[in-house]
Amino acid sequence: MPNRFSSPLSGYGATWSTKRRVLVVAVVIAVLLAVAGIAAWFTGHDGHHHDASATPSVTDSTTPSADPTPTATPPGAGSVPKPPRISDPLAYSKAAAAMLWSYDTRDTSRDQELAGMKTWMTTEAKYADWDSVTGQVPDPVLWSRLGDNAQHASAKVTDAHYPSAFKQALADDPSAITEAYIYYVTVTGTQKIAWKKGGSGAEDRSVTLAVQCRPSHDCSLVAIAPTVAP
């Protein structure tokens, strides 16, 4: 068994596949932002509506513009919540991080976990890095062992902000984001883990997510960065 105080879904050091890393760096970063600073950050590690006529702007905020709490669980997804229908990148990232840090092996199979997580992903295949998300989920054998131990986790998100490199990139070229409307958000919080016979523990969590929030569309998850950006 792994350290019970560590989340089997955290996996911040998991590397992206070569195909997806090239795609995210070359397409999402180089084309979307066209800023060497952001590209260097990602390549340096292995690893409800917007106004379409307005110039995109970025402001840090821990208060979402809409309720970020995911709605009812979709069928066949076990305990994985349905993604919230909101267009605020910070609020959506907070909800996505809470989803990633929460799980319940008592009533959710690994296949259900993956199915539920899939509903959070962008449907634009050229941007979606599904491998970076599935890399957070334990293999079938480990998931089964966690289930035998009745392990489950909940999360409390405390902050969501745009990394400094992303804000600088937008300041240098505000119109670049209109290519795909992908935002980078770093989320922090606390994860509480429990297992049978009263065992429990908690630890701080941080993750940097790429989320897509096109005008007149709800946000969706694009990728999980291999490292946390300040």
Side-chain angles (χ1 to χ4, degrees), residues 68-109:
T69 304
T71 54
T73 298
S79 62
V80 182
K82 184 178 180 180
R85 301 193 63 180
I86 50 179
S87 58
D88 182 283
L90 295 175
Y92 189 85
S93 295
K94 291 173 74 172
M99 178 273 294
L100 291 168
W101 297 334
S102 302
Y103 59 92
D104 195 336
T105 61
R106 297 171 300 179
D107 60 11
T108 305
S109 69

Side-chain angles (χ1 to χ4, degrees), residues 48-53 87-89 181 183 213-217 219:
H48 115 71
H49 304 300
H50 292 286
D51 182 353
S53 64
S87 58
D88 182 283
Y181 287 93
Y183 300 79
C213 301
R214 285 192 180 278
S216 302
H217 288 78
C219 293

Side-chain angles (χ1 to χ4, degrees), residues 37-88:
I38 288 288
W41 169 55
F42 268 88
T43 58
H45 302 282
D46 291 327
H48 115 71
H49 304 300
H50 292 286
D51 182 353
S53 64
T55 300
S57 62
V58 172
T59 56
D60 287 343
S61 172
T62 57
T63 302
S65 60
D67 183 2
T69 304
T71 54
T73 298
S79 62
V80 182
K82 184 178 180 180
R85 301 193 63 180
I86 50 179
S87 58
D88 182 283

